mmCIF file of all heavy atoms in Angstrom:
data_model
loop_
_atom_site.group_PDB
_atom_site.id
_atom_site.type_symbol
_atom_site.label_atom_id
_atom_site.label_comp_id
_atom_site.label_asym_id
_atom_site.label_seq_id
_atom_site.Cartn_x
_atom_site.Cartn_y
_atom_site.Cartn_z
ATOM 1 N N HIS Y 274 122.218 153.024 133.786
ATOM 2 C CA HIS Y 274 121.072 153.714 134.376
ATOM 3 C C HIS Y 274 121.377 155.204 134.479
ATOM 4 O O HIS Y 274 122.492 155.596 134.825
ATOM 5 C CB HIS Y 274 120.809 153.121 135.768
ATOM 6 C CG HIS Y 274 119.555 153.563 136.416
ATOM 7 N ND1 HIS Y 274 118.302 153.274 135.918
ATOM 8 C CD2 HIS Y 274 119.352 154.295 137.525
ATOM 9 C CE1 HIS Y 274 117.395 153.788 136.708
ATOM 10 N NE2 HIS Y 274 118.000 154.420 137.689
ATOM 11 N N ASN Y 275 120.383 156.039 134.195
ATOM 12 C CA ASN Y 275 120.511 157.499 134.307
ATOM 13 C C ASN Y 275 121.755 158.033 133.599
ATOM 14 O O ASN Y 275 122.542 158.783 134.183
ATOM 15 C CB ASN Y 275 120.493 157.935 135.776
ATOM 16 C CG ASN Y 275 119.127 157.749 136.398
ATOM 17 O OD1 ASN Y 275 118.114 157.699 135.705
ATOM 18 N ND2 ASN Y 275 119.090 157.612 137.713
ATOM 19 N N ASN Y 276 121.928 157.649 132.345
ATOM 20 C CA ASN Y 276 123.028 158.128 131.492
ATOM 21 C C ASN Y 276 124.414 157.776 132.019
ATOM 22 O O ASN Y 276 125.384 158.496 131.779
ATOM 23 C CB ASN Y 276 122.930 159.637 131.277
ATOM 24 C CG ASN Y 276 121.664 160.013 130.556
ATOM 25 O OD1 ASN Y 276 121.269 159.352 129.598
ATOM 26 N ND2 ASN Y 276 120.996 161.053 131.029
ATOM 27 N N GLN Y 277 124.512 156.681 132.754
ATOM 28 C CA GLN Y 277 125.787 156.221 133.288
ATOM 29 C C GLN Y 277 125.843 154.708 133.145
ATOM 30 O O GLN Y 277 124.812 154.045 133.191
ATOM 31 C CB GLN Y 277 125.888 156.615 134.771
ATOM 32 C CG GLN Y 277 127.204 156.326 135.428
ATOM 33 C CD GLN Y 277 127.170 156.645 136.915
ATOM 34 O OE1 GLN Y 277 126.487 155.963 137.674
ATOM 35 N NE2 GLN Y 277 127.907 157.666 137.331
ATOM 36 N N VAL Y 278 127.020 154.167 132.945
ATOM 37 C CA VAL Y 278 127.190 152.722 132.941
ATOM 38 C C VAL Y 278 128.305 152.378 133.918
ATOM 39 O O VAL Y 278 129.337 153.057 133.979
ATOM 40 C CB VAL Y 278 127.469 152.151 131.526
ATOM 41 C CG1 VAL Y 278 128.747 152.688 130.945
ATOM 42 C CG2 VAL Y 278 127.493 150.639 131.534
ATOM 43 N N ALA Y 279 128.061 151.343 134.722
ATOM 44 C CA ALA Y 279 129.047 150.902 135.708
ATOM 45 C C ALA Y 279 129.181 149.388 135.631
ATOM 46 O O ALA Y 279 128.190 148.669 135.462
ATOM 47 C CB ALA Y 279 128.610 151.312 137.109
ATOM 48 N N VAL Y 280 130.408 148.923 135.767
ATOM 49 C CA VAL Y 280 130.683 147.501 135.882
ATOM 50 C C VAL Y 280 131.422 147.323 137.192
ATOM 51 O O VAL Y 280 132.413 148.010 137.464
ATOM 52 C CB VAL Y 280 131.515 146.965 134.699
ATOM 53 C CG1 VAL Y 280 131.848 145.484 134.902
ATOM 54 C CG2 VAL Y 280 130.781 147.170 133.382
ATOM 55 N N ALA Y 281 130.929 146.417 138.026
ATOM 56 C CA ALA Y 281 131.534 146.179 139.336
ATOM 57 C C ALA Y 281 131.814 144.699 139.504
ATOM 58 O O ALA Y 281 131.076 143.851 139.006
ATOM 59 C CB ALA Y 281 130.588 146.660 140.439
ATOM 60 N N GLY Y 282 132.889 144.417 140.208
ATOM 61 C CA GLY Y 282 133.244 143.031 140.480
ATOM 62 C C GLY Y 282 133.832 142.878 141.864
ATOM 63 O O GLY Y 282 134.469 143.805 142.380
ATOM 64 N N ASP Y 283 133.616 141.731 142.448
ATOM 65 C CA ASP Y 283 134.248 141.442 143.728
ATOM 66 C C ASP Y 283 135.596 140.780 143.446
ATOM 67 O O ASP Y 283 135.958 140.574 142.292
ATOM 68 C CB ASP Y 283 133.354 140.569 144.603
ATOM 69 C CG ASP Y 283 133.415 139.106 144.227
ATOM 70 O OD1 ASP Y 283 133.365 138.796 143.017
ATOM 71 O OD2 ASP Y 283 133.517 138.258 145.125
ATOM 72 N N GLY Y 284 136.328 140.448 144.478
ATOM 73 C CA GLY Y 284 137.675 139.936 144.275
ATOM 74 C C GLY Y 284 137.915 138.514 144.705
ATOM 75 O O GLY Y 284 139.056 138.065 144.742
ATOM 76 N N GLN Y 285 136.881 137.768 145.016
ATOM 77 C CA GLN Y 285 137.096 136.450 145.606
ATOM 78 C C GLN Y 285 137.343 135.359 144.583
ATOM 79 O O GLN Y 285 136.633 135.240 143.599
ATOM 80 C CB GLN Y 285 135.895 136.053 146.474
ATOM 81 C CG GLN Y 285 136.144 134.755 147.242
ATOM 82 C CD GLN Y 285 135.344 134.683 148.486
ATOM 83 O OE1 GLN Y 285 135.404 135.600 149.291
ATOM 84 N NE2 GLN Y 285 134.600 133.622 148.658
ATOM 85 N N VAL Y 286 138.348 134.553 144.872
ATOM 86 C CA VAL Y 286 138.647 133.343 144.114
ATOM 87 C C VAL Y 286 138.775 132.218 145.128
ATOM 88 O O VAL Y 286 139.521 132.342 146.100
ATOM 89 C CB VAL Y 286 139.960 133.477 143.308
ATOM 90 C CG1 VAL Y 286 140.272 132.182 142.575
ATOM 91 C CG2 VAL Y 286 139.876 134.633 142.335
ATOM 92 N N THR Y 287 138.023 131.147 144.921
ATOM 93 C CA THR Y 287 138.062 130.034 145.868
ATOM 94 C C THR Y 287 138.378 128.721 145.167
ATOM 95 O O THR Y 287 138.169 128.579 143.960
ATOM 96 C CB THR Y 287 136.712 129.866 146.601
ATOM 97 O OG1 THR Y 287 135.697 129.616 145.637
ATOM 98 C CG2 THR Y 287 136.345 131.094 147.398
ATOM 99 N N LEU Y 288 138.883 127.798 145.929
ATOM 100 C CA LEU Y 288 139.095 126.426 145.477
ATOM 101 C C LEU Y 288 138.363 125.556 146.480
ATOM 102 O O LEU Y 288 138.777 125.459 147.638
ATOM 103 C CB LEU Y 288 140.586 126.076 145.435
ATOM 104 C CG LEU Y 288 140.927 124.669 144.968
ATOM 105 C CD1 LEU Y 288 140.441 124.440 143.539
ATOM 106 C CD2 LEU Y 288 142.428 124.448 145.048
ATOM 107 N N GLY Y 289 137.235 124.983 146.042
ATOM 108 C CA GLY Y 289 136.398 124.237 146.977
ATOM 109 C C GLY Y 289 135.877 125.186 148.038
ATOM 110 O O GLY Y 289 135.270 126.206 147.738
ATOM 111 N N SER Y 290 136.168 124.897 149.297
ATOM 112 C CA SER Y 290 135.707 125.748 150.391
ATOM 113 C C SER Y 290 136.811 126.650 150.934
ATOM 114 O O SER Y 290 136.670 127.238 151.989
ATOM 115 C CB SER Y 290 135.139 124.875 151.523
ATOM 116 O OG SER Y 290 136.156 124.013 151.993
ATOM 117 N N THR Y 291 137.902 126.772 150.193
ATOM 118 C CA THR Y 291 139.030 127.590 150.620
ATOM 119 C C THR Y 291 139.144 128.849 149.756
ATOM 120 O O THR Y 291 139.124 128.770 148.537
ATOM 121 C CB THR Y 291 140.355 126.790 150.495
ATOM 122 O OG1 THR Y 291 140.221 125.587 151.244
ATOM 123 C CG2 THR Y 291 141.529 127.594 150.998
ATOM 124 N N ILE Y 292 139.294 129.980 150.414
ATOM 125 C CA ILE Y 292 139.507 131.228 149.690
ATOM 126 C C ILE Y 292 140.977 131.293 149.305
ATOM 127 O O ILE Y 292 141.865 131.269 150.161
ATOM 128 C CB ILE Y 292 139.128 132.454 150.546
ATOM 129 C CG1 ILE Y 292 137.632 132.412 150.879
ATOM 130 C CG2 ILE Y 292 139.496 133.754 149.830
ATOM 131 C CD1 ILE Y 292 137.203 133.430 151.904
ATOM 132 N N LEU Y 293 141.254 131.357 148.000
ATOM 133 C CA LEU Y 293 142.620 131.460 147.512
ATOM 134 C C LEU Y 293 143.101 132.903 147.485
ATOM 135 O O LEU Y 293 144.257 133.193 147.736
ATOM 136 C CB LEU Y 293 142.742 130.877 146.103
ATOM 137 C CG LEU Y 293 142.463 129.396 145.944
ATOM 138 C CD1 LEU Y 293 142.569 128.991 144.483
ATOM 139 C CD2 LEU Y 293 143.439 128.580 146.784
ATOM 140 N N LYS Y 294 142.195 133.802 147.129
ATOM 141 C CA LYS Y 294 142.536 135.223 147.029
ATOM 142 C C LYS Y 294 141.265 136.026 147.234
ATOM 143 O O LYS Y 294 140.208 135.660 146.740
ATOM 144 C CB LYS Y 294 143.133 135.515 145.652
ATOM 145 C CG LYS Y 294 143.601 136.950 145.461
ATOM 146 C CD LYS Y 294 144.358 137.088 144.157
ATOM 147 C CE LYS Y 294 144.793 138.510 143.911
ATOM 148 N NZ LYS Y 294 145.944 138.926 144.678
ATOM 149 N N GLY Y 295 141.379 137.094 147.969
ATOM 150 C CA GLY Y 295 140.205 137.920 148.233
ATOM 151 C C GLY Y 295 140.180 139.226 147.477
ATOM 152 O O GLY Y 295 139.190 139.942 147.505
#
Side-chain angles (χ1 to χ4, degrees):
H274 189 64
N275 290 338
N276 297 317
Q277 186 185 68
V278 62
V280 177
D283 80 315
Q285 187 154 307
V286 178
T287 60
L288 180 61
S290 60
T291 304
I292 297 170
L293 296 178
K294 183 172 178 77

